[in-house]
Amino acid sequence: MRFISETTSNGVSERLFTLGEISGVLWTPADAAGSRPLVLLGHGGGQHKKAPAVLAHAHHYATTRGLAAAAIDAPLHGDRPKNEEGDRLLAVVRERVAAGEPIAGPLAEYNAALADLAVPEWRITLDALQHLDDVGAGPVGYWGVSMGTGIGVPLVAVEPRITAAVFGLASHESLADAASRITVPIRFLLQWDDEMVPRASGLALFDAFASPEKTLHANPGGHRDVPALELESSGRFLTRHLVEAYVAAA
Amino acid sequence: MRFISETTSNGVSERLFTLGEISGVLWTPADAAGSRPLVLLGHGGGQHKKAPAVLAHAHHYATTRGLAAAAIDAPLHGDRPKNEEGDRLLAVVRERVAAGEPIAGPLAEYNAALADLAVPEWRITLDALQHLDDVGAGPVGYWGVSMGTGIGVPLVAVEPRITAAVFGLASHESLADAASRITVPIRFLLQWDDEMVPRASGLALFDAFASPEKTLHANPGGHRDVPALELESSGRFLTRHLVEAYVAAA
C-alpha cells in the first residue's frame, strides 16, 4: 500500500493510496491515534471512490462517529482502466434504458462481472488497511447501495471480518444466493418507486438474507431519492454494531 | 375531564382521568411546567391504557423526550364495559384462530367497529387535554400498532391536530381508504413473519398512505417481536416532527 497524498479538512484526514492496480482513499479523524472500527464504502455504478455520496458518508464516520472509512474505485470506474468487455455489458444496459425496457437483468450481469474482480481487491485492501496503526485489526462494517450492493453482498458473504452491513437499491436475481449465506446484522434500503429495481425484486433480496437481525427501510421516491436522514440512521446502526464488537473484544 | 389519581415515579407524573364514559391516563415529566407536544398512544387488541408496551412508550416520551403522552382504554377494553356485539365479533376471530384459518378479515371488521366508537372519544379527549396548562394546544403525534393502527388510521384521517404518526402491524383491507386521505409524515412498522397480518397486506397499507414522507421499517419475526430499538427510533421520529412544529409555531 503506497500513500500518494494526504490532506486534512473539517477535522478529517484523507489519504489517497494505491495497492497494485487498486486506487483507494482512507479517511480518519484528523487527530486519530490508535486502532478504531473501519467502514468500507462501496460506490454506485458510474461513480468513483470520492463521489459525493461516498464523501458524505466518509465524513460522517470520521467526524460524528470517530471511525475510519475507506473506499476503492470499482473495476472500470474512477482511476481504473476501461476494457472492451465492460463497455459491451454497459452498452446492453444503455440500449435497454433507451428502449424503455427493464434493465434489472443486464444490470445484475454487469454488477456480477465487476464483483468477480472487486471482491478479491476489497479483501487485499482490507489486509493492508488493518496493518495501519490508526486503523488496526478491529471490527469492520460495509456500506454500499446499488452497485455497492452488487459488489458488497458477494464480498460480505465470503469475508468474515465484516460484521455488519448496509445494503439496498438492488435486485435479487444474481445476489439472492450470496445473500442467503450472510448472517451478520443488515440494514437494507429500498426506494418504493425505484425506476431501476422492481419493488418485488428488492423485497425478495431483503428476504434472502439469512441474518437473524435485518431491517428494511423503505421510502417513497426513485433510485436517487434516498432521504438524507437514512445516512444518519445507517451511521447509528453500523456504529452501534462495530463499537459493541470493539468493546467486547477489548 | 376529572382526575381521579396522581402518582409520580422515575421522574414521570401519571394522572388517571375519566371523561364521560372514557377512562384515560396522562403522563408528563414530573417537573413539567408550560405547554409541550403531546403523543397519543393507542394500545393493542386485548390490552388497555396501561399495558406494558404503552407504559414503555409513555415513559420514553416523558423522560427521554420531555413530552406529554396520553392513552385511553379502547371501547370494550380495560375499564370499559363489554357488550354482546363486541363479544360476537371477537368470537369469530377466536374461532378462526382455533381452526387455523386467516383472521385478517374478521379482525379488520372488529377493529373497524371499535374505531367507529373510538375516533370521537379520542377527539374529545384531545380537546380536554389541550386545555391543561402542562399540555397546551401544541403539536400532537399518534403512536399505535395493530389495533392501535386500526383505530389510529381513521383517527388521523379526520383529525388535523395530529401532525405525525407511527402505525404498523395491520392489514390494508378496511384501512386503505382512510390511509389514502392521510398526508402527514408516517413511520410504518411491519413484521416480516407476522402470523396475523399477511406480508402483502401490510405492504399494501404502507403503500396506501398519501403522505409524501413515509418510511417502512420491516423486521424479521412475528406480530409480537418488534425489536426494542424501534421504540427508540419511532421516538426520535415523532419528537423530530413535533418539536420542529412546536419551534416553528413559537
Side-chain angles (χ1 to χ4, degrees):
Chain A
M1 177 168 275
R2 198 165 67 84
F3 286 102
I4 53 177
S5 79
E6 172 160 8
T7 54
T8 299
S9 73
N10 297 319
V12 179
S13 155
E14 176 181 295
R15 280 170 279 181
L16 293 173
F17 63 80
T18 58
L19 180 66
E21 303 294 306
I22 303 162
S23 49
V25 55
L26 170 65
W27 297 272
T28 50
D31 55 357
S35 66
R36 67 199 58 247
L38 169 67
V39 179
L40 307 179
L41 302 171
H43 65 75
Q47 301 186 358
H48 58 84
K49 64 183 177 302
K50 288 183 64 178
V54 177
L55 278 179
H57 282 79
H59 278 250
H60 175 80
Y61 287 107
T63 57
T64 309
R65 307 293 178 180
L67 310 187
I72 60 176
D73 288 320
L76 311 180
H77 286 73
D79 298 334
R80 308 291 300 276
K82 311 283 176 263
N83 72 22
E84 282 184 18
E85 173 62 3
D87 288 346
R88 190 190 65 76
L89 290 167
L90 255 191
V92 175
V93 176
R94 290 191 178 125
E95 278 163 23
R96 293 280 191 107
V97 171
E101 290 169 8
I103 59 167
L107 202 60
E109 195 190 344
Y110 176 70
N111 285 343
L114 291 194
D116 287 345
L117 303 169
V119 168
E121 292 179 352
W122 263 124
R123 301 189 78 183
I124 61 169
T125 301
L126 181 52
D127 293 343
L129 290 169
Q130 291 200 316
H131 279 99
L132 300 174
D133 286 342
D134 52 355
V135 178
V140 181
Y142 181 90
W143 176 92
V145 295
S146 194
M147 192 182 82
T149 287
I151 289 171
V153 168
L155 171 63
V156 175
V158 297
E159 178 48 80
R161 291 175 289 184
I162 300 176
T163 56
V166 179
F167 295 130
L169 311 185
S171 303
H172 77 291
E173 287 84 353
S174 66
L175 296 175
D177 190 51
S180 73
R181 294 193 298 276
I182 291 177
T183 57
V184 299
I186 296 297
R187 171 69 55 88
F188 192 87
L189 302 177
L190 184 141
Q191 288 295 101
W192 203 243
D193 313 293
D194 195 321
E195 70 282 12
M196 298 174 73
V197 180
R199 189 184 296 167
S201 185
L203 291 171
L205 179 52
F206 171 69
D207 191 49
F209 290 99
S211 310
E213 183 183 338
K214 59 180 180 180
T215 305
L216 170 74
H217 283 195
N219 289 284
H223 197 71
R224 289 167 188 80
D225 300 329
V226 177
L229 280 165
E230 293 292 358
L231 183 161
E232 190 76 32
S233 179
S234 64
R236 201 178 296 121
F237 163 79
L238 278 182
T239 304
R240 174 163 47 86
H241 284 289
L242 300 181
V243 171
E244 270 176 13
Y246 192 74
V247 170
Chain B
M1 177 167 274
R2 198 165 65 86
F3 286 102
I4 55 178
S5 78
E6 171 159 9
T7 55
T8 299
S9 73
N10 298 317
V12 179
S13 154
E14 176 181 296
R15 278 170 279 181
L16 294 173
F17 63 81
T18 58
L19 180 66
E21 303 294 305
I22 303 164
S23 49
V25 54
L26 169 66
W27 297 272
T28 50
D31 55 356
S35 66
R36 65 200 58 249
L38 169 68
V39 179
L40 306 180
L41 302 171
H43 66 76
Q47 301 186 0
H48 57 84
K49 64 183 176 302
K50 287 185 63 179
V54 177
L55 277 179
H57 282 78
H59 278 249
H60 175 80
Y61 287 106
T63 56
T64 310
R65 308 293 177 181
L67 309 187
I72 60 176
D73 288 320
L76 311 180
H77 287 72
D79 298 332
R80 307 290 300 275
K82 312 284 177 265
N83 71 23
E84 282 183 20
E85 172 64 3
D87 289 346
R88 191 190 64 76
L89 289 167
L90 255 191
V92 175
V93 176
R94 290 191 178 125
E95 278 163 24
R96 291 280 190 109
V97 171
E101 288 170 9
I103 59 167
L107 202 58
E109 195 189 343
Y110 176 69
N111 286 343
L114 292 195
D116 286 344
L117 303 168
V119 168
E121 293 180 351
W122 264 122
R123 301 188 78 183
I124 61 168
T125 300
L126 182 52
D127 292 344
L129 291 170
Q130 290 199 317
H131 279 99
L132 301 173
D133 286 341
D134 51 355
V135 177
V140 181
Y142 181 91
W143 175 93
V145 296
S146 194
M147 192 184 82
T149 288
I151 289 171
V153 168
L155 171 63
V156 176
V158 297
E159 179 47 80
R161 290 175 289 184
I162 299 176
T163 56
V166 179
F167 294 131
L169 311 185
S171 303
H172 78 291
E173 286 83 355
S174 66
L175 295 175
D177 190 51
S180 73
R181 293 194 298 276
I182 291 178
T183 57
V184 299
I186 295 298
R187 171 70 55 86
F188 192 88
L189 303 177
L190 184 142
Q191 287 296 100
W192 203 243
D193 313 293
D194 195 320
E195 69 282 11
M196 297 174 72
V197 181
R199 189 184 296 166
S201 184
L203 291 170
L205 179 53
F206 171 69
D207 191 49
F209 290 98
S211 310
E213 182 183 339
K214 58 179 180 180
T215 305
L216 170 74
H217 284 195
N219 289 284
H223 196 73
R224 289 166 186 80
D225 301 330
V226 177
L229 281 165
E230 294 291 358
L231 182 161
E232 191 76 32
S233 179
S234 64
R236 203 179 294 119
F237 163 79
L238 277 184
T239 304
R240 174 164 46 86
H241 284 289
L242 299 181
V243 172
E244 271 176 13
Y246 191 73
V247 170

